[in-house]
Each structure stands twice: as C-alpha cells, then as structure tokens.
DNA sequence: CGAAATCTTGAACAACCTCAATCGGCGTGG
DNA sequence: CCACGCCGATTGAGGTTGTTCAAGATTTCG
C-alpha cells in the first residue's frame, strides 16, 4: 500500500472509506502484509498474484467493478493485489462482527477459485481462453461487447499459459467466427454457443 | 447421499450429528444437490470432484481427518463429495447464525484452493507431485512417514496429470533419494529439503 | 512522427499424453 | 499349496500440445 493511500484510508474510521484511486500497476497490498482491510472494486480492475521462486508470476484471480477481494482475516496476505489500469477501491474494516456480510463474498471467491481450478488443470489452451472470455463476459455490463481490462500477459499468467499461446488461441477463436476483435482489448462475442463449445 | 445415511442424519437435530460411516467410493453428496449440511472428516478421507463434459474427472480438493468440507451456504453443490476408503463423517446444520464458526473454515478452503492453483497452473509434473507429497505430509500426524489414502488415479486427477506421469514423477523422487516407498501407498520422506527443492 | 510497448506469427524443441505391455500384490478356487 | 485372474502401479515408445526463441506487425503515447 502506498503511503498516500494509506493516509487517505486511515483518516476515515467508517466501515467503508471513500474511494482510493490507484494507477495502473500500483500495488494495493503485498504478499506477507498484515490483513487489516477488505476491499471492493469501484471501477477498473484488480489482479491477485504471487511471483514464484522460479520467477514466474501466477495470477489467481481478477476482480472487476463491484467485486470484493482481500478478505483474509487473521492472516498475512497470501498474494499481492495490483491495479489494472486506473482503478477505484473502496475499503472496509475487517472487524470480526461483520462476518455475516463477508461470508457470502468469501463463498463467492471459493466458488470462483474452484471453477478456475477446473479450467487450468484439465483444459487445452483454446478451452482456457474461451472459458476466460465467457467468464469476463458474465462479469461485465454488456455481455456481448466488452473490453478486456488486462493485457495478454495477465491473461496468460491467469490461465497458466504463455502470451503466445493466448494470442494463438484468440486468433483461432476469431477465425472460427466465435468472436470479433476491436483492437487488441475489445471483444465482441458473435456466437456464444460456438464459444461455449470450445470449452469442451 | 445414500438413503441409510440420510436417515441417520435426519434423526439428529443437533448441530453436530453422530458419526456417519461411508465405504470406499461412496458418495456423500452430489453435484447439484441442495446444500443443507456442512461436514467434517472424523477419519478416512474425502475427495471433492466434478466430471467434465469431456469425461475427465477433476478433483478440486482432498479432506483429511479433522477438516471441514461442503460449506456452500445457499447454493447447489458445486462438486460431488466421495469417501476414499472407510470414512467417518460428522455433520453440522448449515444455519446462518453459525457463520462465525464457519468463516474460518471457508477462509482455510479458499487459502488451500489458491495455493493449489499455483501448483497446477505453472508447475511441472515433478513439481506438482513433490508439492503434493509435502502438502499431505503437513496434514497428517506423522509428517515423515505416512500412507497416501488415495490411489494414483486420484492424485493424477487432483494434480491435472495422468496416472503415468504421477508414477514417473514418484519414481524419479524415489531415485533421487528424496523419498522412500513402502508399498504403493506408504511414503517416507528421507530428505525434506531435497523434496522441497523439486517444487522449484 | 517516432519510440516503446504490446500483440501476432513462425519454427524448433521439450514436456506431457496416449497407447501398450509388463510387473506386483492379493484374493479366490482348484 | 499353488495357479489363476484381477486391479493398481510401473515402464516404454511414439505422437500432440504448448513452450521457447526469434522476428515482424500493430497500437499507444510523448
């Protein structure tokens, strides 16, 4: 957490502090820090990741507008949280008595984590990318036409692939007319069923 | 859930019912069922899995003695839970007011799920198997010498590998003198540091 | 407009999977 | 008691998929 933001948050003792704004690539919290706060994305996106001993980075989850992250009561941070593009974050104090509000968010996170396990352990590169596009689609406003908040490198580190494999898979989905690209970030789903059929 | 067990559980309206015993391979609950209960392993082991459209089975977690599973309040079961070997299960009613007790268990599950994500997305077969042995070791009584409750097929479906790859990795760990096998199920960790060094 | 970053594409290689045979323990029955 | 069959685990050979390394294309931004 950068100093400026930490001060901004500490000035507000309410349950939910005002918006804290992070620039692209800025760290919200780091692996190993104490867990004092839970967070919610107001706008933009956040990635949770760890850099492994071998130097590779694994992103375990993305969090889009409206979604909670960083609920890890009574522990040290398991991962680093980083803003993807300009991102607004709402902060909530991690008091024990709020568990009734936090439990659903944690159950959601567990649900997502396990669905993601299915994707990254057994699926081919095309299946992973197709599943990823559908996943993002379901979590954004316009489910047909949306912009990926993150670069290919982040998608690759999330899906356990290389940038090249992600690119090739996207190209193939494009050539099959399941999707259309609007620049590198814009995605339009032309045939959701066909896209789904790529998910095995 | 088999009829016999369901009756045994329904007769007890307490928070924790007496032990229900399951045979090897018996289903505790199935994908899609209502979530009325949370469970705790008394003895034996449990796997949570789903069979994908392509016919492959993915195990998302193992649960050993003392561990909670099946906390999925207000949803349908995301996975099927199955006993590995003779297994005793304690059942708890999933009342909303117990969230203070359940939250830590869910946070644990989320923690484990994400650590597992790191293993299955980026690691080689040897790294996965080494990490798996260390993980099981940390969760059993005798951390140096223990028996794997599950067959190779389950390990493979958990690590996103084939039986053959698991077998080859184990053979390699054995030949490097990091571990010793006592029959196919028994494992003795001879050199924990070396085993850890395989985890990259 | 130009430079840097991001994305795409290509070719050779390595890792894992598939298919297949073999080994080993264990229970049954001759 | 031993032979047989079964099931799980191991080992081997060849094919597929994704990675690596490298070059080129596109986008972004000062």
């Amino acid at each position: 957490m950068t100093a400026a933001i930490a001060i901004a948050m500490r000035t507000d003792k309410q349950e939910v502090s005002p918006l804290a704004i992070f620039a692209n690539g800025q760290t919200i919290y780091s692996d190993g820090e104490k867990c004092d706060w839970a967070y919610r994305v107001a706008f933009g996106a956040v990635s949770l990741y760890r850099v492994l001993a071998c130097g590779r980075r694994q992103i375990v989850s993305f969090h889009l507008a409206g979604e909670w992250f960083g609920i890890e009561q009574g522990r040290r941070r398991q991962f680093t949280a980083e803003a993807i593009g300009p991102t607004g974050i709402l902060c909530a104090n991690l008091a024990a008595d709020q568990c009734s509000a936090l439990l659903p968010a944690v159950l959601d996170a567990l649900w997502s984590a396990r669905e993601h396990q299915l994707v990254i352990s057994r699926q081919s590169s095309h299946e992973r990318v197709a599943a990823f596009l559908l996943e993002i689609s379901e979590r954004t406003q316009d489910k047909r036409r949306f912009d990926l908040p993150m670069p290919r490198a982040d998608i690759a580190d999330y899906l356990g692939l290389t940038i090249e494999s992600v690119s090739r898979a996207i190209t193939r989905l494009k050539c099959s007319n399941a999707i259309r690209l609007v620049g590198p970030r814009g995605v339009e789903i032309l045939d959701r069923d066909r896209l789904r059929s790529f998910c095995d």
Side-chain angles (χ1 to χ4, degrees), chain A:
Chain A
M1 173 93 46
T2 65
I5 299 298
I7 290 168
M9 282 165 35
R10 222 175 280 123
T11 58
D12 188 331
K13 302 292 186 190
Q14 305 300 323
E15 179 182 332
V16 175
S17 78
L19 204 56
I21 301 198
F22 293 83
N24 182 36
Q26 216 178 344
T27 298
I28 299 162
Y29 60 73
S30 295
D31 186 7
E33 284 184 9
K34 259 188 84 203
C35 305
D36 296 320
W37 303 84
Y39 301 94
R40 210 153 67 92
V41 181
F43 62 87
V46 170
S47 67
L48 258 52
Y49 69 87
R50 194 192 298 161
V51 177
L52 303 180
C54 58
R56 310 201 62 170
R57 178 184 64 153
Q58 178 62 33
I59 293 178
V60 292
S61 65
F62 290 116
H63 298 278
L64 309 183
E67 299 172 358
W68 284 91
F69 67 96
I71 307 174
E72 296 173 56
Q73 205 172 33
R75 304 165 176 273
R76 294 278 163 174
R77 292 295 182 196
Q78 189 182 13
F79 299 103
T80 295
E82 189 175 294
I84 303 172
T87 299
I89 302 289
L90 299 164
C91 316
N93 204 320
L94 264 178
D97 60 319
Q98 290 171 21
C99 76
S100 58
L102 296 181
L103 185 58
V106 179
L107 286 168
D108 270 346
L110 179 58
W111 185 279
S112 304
R114 288 192 161 156
E115 288 296 328
H116 190 51
Q117 274 186 38
L118 296 182
V119 173
I120 59 180
S121 61
R122 285 285 179 200
Q123 313 272 76
S124 70
S125 63
H126 309 107
E127 293 167 344
R128 294 186 206 200
V129 171
F132 174 74
L133 293 178
L134 287 170
E135 180 194 340
I136 295 297
S137 159
E138 290 302 319
R139 288 161 63 184
T140 49
Q141 308 296 333
D142 187 342
K143 307 203 178 316
R144 208 181 53 80
R145 165 73 180 82
F146 55 90
D147 286 304
L148 296 170
M150 70 291 287
R152 297 285 187 271
D154 285 3
I155 300 176
D157 286 348
Y158 179 61
L159 297 177
L161 298 171
T162 58
I163 302 178
E164 295 92 329
S165 294
V166 171
S167 182
R168 281 185 246 270
I170 289 181
T171 299
R172 190 168 142 175
L173 292 175
K174 192 176 61 181
C175 293
S176 79
N177 289 319
I179 62 169
R180 195 170 68 85
L181 291 189
V182 185
R185 296 290 185 94
V187 177
E188 183 177 356
I189 297 182
L190 299 174
D191 188 340
R192 186 171 297 265
D193 288 335
R194 181 172 301 177
L195 190 53
R196 215 172 265 126
S197 75
F198 273 95
C199 301
D200 200 9

